[in-house]
Amino acid sequence: MKPEKKYPSEVYLNGKWLKPDEAFISVFDRAFMFGDGIYEVTPFYKGKAFKQKEHLKRLQYCLDQIQVAFDAFTLEQLMYEAIDRTKLNDADAAVYIQVSRGVAARSHFVPENIQTTVLLYAFPVTLEGFEKKTWKVIATEDKRWHRCDIKSTALLANVMANEEAIAAGFAENLLVRKGYFTEGSHSSLFFVKYGVVHTHPEGHKILSGITRTEVINICADLKIKLVEKAVHIDELVEVEEIFVTGTTTQIIPISSVTHQDKKVYSARKDSVTKKLQEVFIKRTRG
Ligand SMILES: Cc1ncc(COP(=O)(O)O)c(C=O)c1O
């Protein structure tokens, strides 16, 4: 069963707070026509943002990459206002931001003098209890474009990958490019091999996950050896632990990986994942 998702009670659209059924954009908005927009999701633990600056910095990086002139940091206070307005101060929540290039008559070239469309809202999310979960996943070919570092609203390949997993009864789809794991359809990916944590290096093939960076920092602080090195699917026989990370995922261990209808991995250990989860909980709720 797929979880039921609810609309937020209020959204911020281009300077106004509106009920969702009163918030409209043009059919010529370029995010609607081309996926020509950037989004960001920031977690709020009991009303307090975690790594807000890092999320806004990534939003700014992505907007700069697609040459949309917009100052992401103008949204800093609005994010808290969204939490207040939807009375999520005492709950766990996240703030969704979407900045599209804006509305213009359809053309592949980027029109001049175009006004961005800005959408922002808060929604409740379960950030507790992830340490009690494990996920069974599939691994399939990474069919995304070559700029996965850009958090584009054009998520069709991610949606198709995730749906393939969910429809077959799995929780996530681990993506493989030329034999090497990149990341999950909506999560960053880590492997523990001979006690050393491995994750795909930053660059155009993965999103620079904010949770991923925090896990890398925790490894450094705990003196757990980590290398930013891609893991090949044939190396799974040597892998002891796999976990995925993300803003709403947190840190979840992978119990098994199925590839082309064959189980190619079953978790052998959990001690490194457990240590990282423990410190992550302290840092996000401390
Ligand atoms: C493709 C992809 N990779 C990684 C992540 C994790 O990023 P973060 O930790 O910043 O949420 C996400 C989050 O949605 C994602 O969609």
Side-chain angles (χ1 to χ4, degrees):
M1 273 279 282
K2 291 177 181 174
E4 197 197 329
K5 294 275 182 176
K6 290 200 178 91
Y7 292 107
S9 56
E10 252 187 305
V11 303
Y12 170 92
L13 178 66
N14 296 332
K16 286 193 196 126
W17 289 97
L18 300 164
K19 301 270 170 255
D21 55 1
E22 294 165 351
F24 294 106
I25 58 156
S26 164
V27 292
F28 290 101
D29 192 285
R30 288 180 62 95
F32 178 63
M33 287 208 147
F34 296 102
D36 190 356
I38 302 293
Y39 77 104
E40 190 51 64
V41 183
T42 306
F44 281 68
Y45 293 83
K46 305 269 181 269
K48 204 167 151 253
F50 182 68
K51 302 283 167 190
Q52 186 185 19
K53 292 217 159 33
E54 287 77 357
H55 281 277
L56 288 171
K57 244 174 94 178
R58 181 171 68 186
L59 176 58
Q60 191 65 63
Y61 165 79
C62 294
L63 290 167
D64 292 347
Q65 289 299 301
I66 67 163
Q67 294 174 322
V68 165
F70 181 82
D71 181 355
F73 279 83
T74 56
L75 302 176
E76 209 170 346
Q77 280 314 310
L78 273 177
M79 294 167 76
Y80 274 96
E81 195 179 337
I83 296 285
D84 277 346
R85 281 179 169 266
T86 33
K87 302 189 175 51
L88 287 168
N89 295 290
D90 300 321
D92 287 339
V95 169
Y96 179 83
I97 300 171
Q98 178 172 316
V99 181
S100 99
R101 197 181 300 278
V103 179
R106 189 178 184 280
S107 71
H108 276 64
F109 65 81
V110 172
E112 279 170 19
N113 304 322
I114 183 167
Q115 274 291 313
T116 49
T117 302
V118 180
L119 170 71
L120 183 155
Y121 62 84
F123 60 100
V125 65
T126 307
L127 300 174
E128 273 174 336
F130 63 89
E131 70 284 5
K132 296 180 195 91
K133 293 185 191 164
T134 58
W135 278 0
K136 282 187 191 166
V137 302
I138 51 169
T140 68
E141 193 197 331
D142 192 342
K143 300 191 186 88
R144 300 174 303 161
W145 67 332
H146 293 270
R147 288 306 304 272
C148 300
D149 57 318
I150 298 175
K151 207 165 164 63
S152 158
T153 55
L155 284 173
L156 184 56
N158 303 63
V159 166
M160 287 172 73
N162 193 253
E163 185 57 23
E164 187 177 346
I166 302 296
F170 296 93
E172 176 57 306
N173 192 339
L174 308 186
L175 307 177
V176 180
R177 195 166 269 193
K178 294 194 175 142
Y180 287 91
F181 286 101
T182 52
E183 59 185 337
S185 75
H186 66 300
S187 57
S188 307
L189 180 57
F190 292 82
F191 301 85
V192 185
K193 194 178 129 183
Y194 302 121
V196 178
V197 180
H198 290 60
T199 192
H200 196 288
E202 292 221 15
H204 290 177
K205 291 188 188 132
I206 62 159
L207 181 75
S208 175
I210 307 298
T211 322
R212 173 186 179 277
T213 302
E214 191 54 22
V215 164
I216 292 174
N217 293 340
I218 296 173
C219 283
D221 296 343
L222 295 183
K223 308 226 164 359
I224 296 171
K225 195 158 187 265
L226 178 139
V227 286
E228 291 190 61
K229 188 170 174 279
V231 169
H232 195 276
I233 193 154
D234 293 344
E235 288 173 65
L236 283 182
V237 287
E238 297 168 288
V239 169
E240 296 133 19
E241 297 177 48
I242 305 178
F243 58 92
V244 287
T245 70
T247 291
T248 55
T249 304
Q250 307 277 280
I251 304 174
I252 297 193
I254 300 304
S255 55
S256 71
V257 180
T258 298
H259 175 60
Q260 294 170 345
D261 297 326
K262 270 208 306 249
K263 199 179 269 191
V264 289
Y265 167 85
S266 290
R268 294 175 180 95
K269 292 183 184 174
D270 64 1
S271 58
V272 174
T273 314
K274 287 246 172 300
K275 262 188 236 160
L276 295 171
Q277 286 176 323
E278 199 183 308
V279 176
F280 185 75
I281 291 169
K282 282 197 193 123
R283 291 194 182 181
T284 49
R285 299 189 178 275

